[in-house]
Amino acid sequence: GKVPTGDCTVMCPPTAVDTQYCRGDMSACQAGKAGCWWDVCMDYTAPTPTECAREMKLGTPETERYGKFQCVDPADAPVDGTCQVQTPVSAALAALPAWDEGSIGLLAGLGGLLALAAALARPPLSSGAVGRFLSKPLAGGWNSGNILAVGAAAASLFVYWALLGAGRSPPIALKTLGLAAGIAAPLPIWWAMLKAGAHSVVGMSREAAWRIHVALGSVANLFGLWHGIMALSTVVGVLSNPFYLLGFVGLLLMLLGSLPALVHMVSPKALSYASWKLLHFAAPLGYACAVVHMLEHAAKLTT
């Protein structure tokens, strides 16, 4: 067919379920059927997943990533601004990551880590050689058990991303990183409860739990920031979508609520306890915005 040299509107081929458009292609791809065009065609800034066309320039790294596009009119006649994707599905799009199984496994692993910590903190394991080693005090009020547990939680989130998203196409990588950030976000809340919480499960004091809260909050912020940067760099017009914009607002609020705590820890005179405590309430407000952002994704992208 005719190959234009400029910009064209990339139209999706027929989908598995015509009334669902790109979502139908996604479902077909997840089921191992022919399809997988959604990864190329889906407009992530559209208010609904039924808009399966976006502006794309030929010869850019985005098009090269999927092979060479041939943009032609279905009737093989030139039509201004309209063309159809005719390119084979690449091996990278042959199957979607096992997001459901991976997310369930990650959550189960985090729950198992908490259960293991609870068992090691109580007799008879707490009085054994392993229990004594893990509870031995270190600098800053930390102990080996705290450090290993926080490190394991952070490592599990990174492994989740590495197995399901690293090296994949931008939409898959972005979605995987978003899922990791979404799973990481509530972890510090588990350790921030005044009464019953994760700290009560492992028999930890509130002061010690606060250190875990700060560490896991930092991990959650790093994953959220990573996800936000990737979205800004890969999704055209991402802030034009109100739900995507809400995700960035939530990230900024969580950072606003977290950074003053670090300032107070480093230099208490620079920021009083009352001031940073007040600013810290921005973090749960940001998390609420992120939850709305994630719920919209769950409805739109079936995650």
Side-chain angles (χ1 to χ4, degrees):
K2 298 176 177 62
V3 182
T5 58
D7 296 334
C8 64
T9 301
V10 178
M11 305 298 294
C12 286
T15 61
V17 182
D18 291 341
T19 58
Q20 293 185 333
Y21 301 92
C22 281
R23 184 181 291 178
D25 279 331
M26 187 189 304
S27 300
C29 192
Q30 288 174 323
K33 300 177 182 178
C36 302
W37 294 103
W38 71 274
D39 199 13
V40 181
C41 297
M42 188 168 186
D43 182 0
Y44 281 81
T45 65
T48 66
T50 59
E51 299 185 29
C52 297
R54 61 179 176 177
E55 296 298 319
M56 186 180 296
K57 190 164 188 167
L58 299 181
T60 62
E62 183 176 35
T63 61
E64 292 170 1
R65 185 177 296 114
Y66 299 105
K68 195 157 192 166
F69 281 112
Q70 287 186 316
C71 295
V72 299
D73 175 69
D76 202 24
V79 177
D80 292 340
T82 303
C83 54
Q84 187 174 10
V85 175
Q86 292 186 352
T87 183
V89 177
S90 67
L93 301 181
L96 291 176
W99 282 310
D100 290 345
E101 295 82 353
S103 298
I104 292 172
L106 176 57
L107 291 172
L110 292 172
L113 182 63
L114 182 63
L116 177 61
L120 290 170
R122 289 175 169 80
L125 295 181
S126 61
S127 57
V130 174
R132 291 196 303 271
F133 167 77
L134 294 176
S135 61
K136 184 179 179 180
L138 300 175
W142 286 83
N143 60 39
S144 300
N146 298 157
I147 295 173
L148 288 173
V150 172
S156 65
L157 289 164
F158 183 79
V159 169
Y160 173 89
W161 144 254
L163 292 178
L164 301 181
R168 303 298 295 265
S169 60
I172 290 179
L174 181 63
K175 178 177 174 178
T176 304
L177 190 55
L179 289 171
I183 293 173
L187 297 183
I189 300 176
W190 294 3
W191 299 87
M193 303 299 179
L194 292 176
K195 294 183 180 179
H199 69 285
S200 57
V201 175
V202 298
M204 182 181 292
S205 67
R206 283 290 304 119
E207 182 181 358
W210 170 248
R211 287 188 285 270
I212 305 296
H213 170 74
V214 172
L216 291 177
S218 300
V219 171
N221 284 336
L222 287 174
F223 272 91
L225 187 61
W226 187 6
H227 175 61
I229 292 173
M230 182 179 289
L232 285 173
S233 63
T234 60
V235 181
V236 178
V238 62
L239 298 182
S240 64
N241 183 300
F243 289 101
Y244 294 3
L245 177 61
L246 197 61
F248 284 100
V249 171
L251 174 61
L252 293 176
L253 286 172
M254 286 187 282
L255 292 174
L256 175 63
S258 303
L259 293 179
L262 297 177
V263 173
H264 177 76
M265 289 174 62
V266 174
S267 179
K269 293 182 179 180
L271 188 65
S272 67
Y273 177 85
S275 297
W276 83 255
K277 194 68 174 177
L278 183 63
L279 289 170
H280 193 55
F281 282 109
L285 180 60
Y287 179 66
C289 293
V291 168
V292 176
H293 169 73
M294 289 185 284
L295 288 175
E296 189 272 343
H297 272 52
K300 179 177 177 179
L301 302 179
T302 61
T303 53

